[in-house]
Every structure is written in structure tokens, then in C-alpha cells.
Amino acid sequence: GIKPDERTKRQDILINVEVEADLGPAARSDSIEDAVNYRSISKRIIRRVENGSDHLAEKLAEDLARMILEDFPVDRVTLRIEKPGALRFARSVGVEITRERDALP
């Protein structure tokens, strides 16, 4: 968050991650070694969020997308970060980005 009270008191956020990858090898082998390991992605996201100090959801989304594309065998990732209860009369507000491995600088 950007407000002083948001910086001192951690807020709840929801992170939805959708990845696109070649699932053929895992489908043929039925082996976790050939699959995208969602548990590993989840653990890395949690560690990054808990240790981060981003002011904006946009920055966090960009960093998470880059981390996933660089460290896991996925071709494309879509991330949605939501802040529940951030606006009155709204369930949540958030940002969504899609990034592709081929577009990384």
C-alpha cells in the first residue's frame, strides 16, 4: 500500500495465477518431474509477497510475472492481484496483467 497505515499494518491480498505451458510431456509421462509444479510457484509467490515492500499492486504483479517466467517452465502467465474491501461497496479492486516469456527483455 501507499498510505502510512497500509505500510505499517499488512493488508490481505488475493493473487490469482494462470499459466500456459506445454503440458504434453507431463500428459505423456504422468510424472510430476515433467509438469509445472504449482506448489513451487505458490511457495515462491508467498515468500516474495511476505518479504516485499511494494507500494503498488502493479509493481508486485510485474515482479511476480517476471519471476514465474524466468524460474518456471511456462510460456505465458496472467496474474490478478486484488485488495478485498479496499473500496466501499466493492468486493475488491485489483489489477491484472499478462506477460509472455518471448517478450521478456
Side-chain angles (χ1 to χ4, degrees):
I2 58 172
K3 296 179 182 178
D5 62 318
E6 293 176 327
R7 303 298 295 164
T8 57
K9 183 179 182 253
R10 290 204 173 254
Q11 304 170 66
D12 289 333
I13 60 171
L14 302 174
I15 301 174
N16 186 41
V17 181
E18 184 177 314
V19 298
E20 292 181 28
D22 180 3
L23 304 179
R28 286 187 292 279
S29 70
D30 198 25
S31 173
I32 188 65
E33 287 78 24
D34 295 328
V36 175
N37 190 322
Y38 304 109
R39 184 170 187 227
S40 295
I41 292 174
S42 177
K43 284 182 170 186
R44 289 285 305 280
I45 289 171
I46 291 167
R47 186 169 48 241
R48 168 59 179 80
V49 170
E50 288 180 343
N51 293 319
S53 61
D54 303 293
H55 287 87
L56 299 175
E58 293 84 347
K59 171 74 164 59
L60 177 60
E62 194 69 39
D63 287 355
L64 291 174
R66 176 177 293 280
M67 176 192 72
I68 292 167
L69 289 169
E70 288 178 347
D71 298 346
F72 296 93
V74 302
D75 301 315
R76 181 179 175 149
V77 62
T78 298
L79 280 132
R80 177 154 182 82
I81 298 180
E82 297 181 65
K83 292 174 67 175
L87 287 180
R88 197 169 158 201
F89 304 119
R91 181 176 295 142
S92 69
V93 296
V95 299
E96 181 174 305
I97 65 167
T98 299
R99 298 294 181 263
E100 297 183 15
R101 177 181 303 285
D102 293 343
L104 287 177

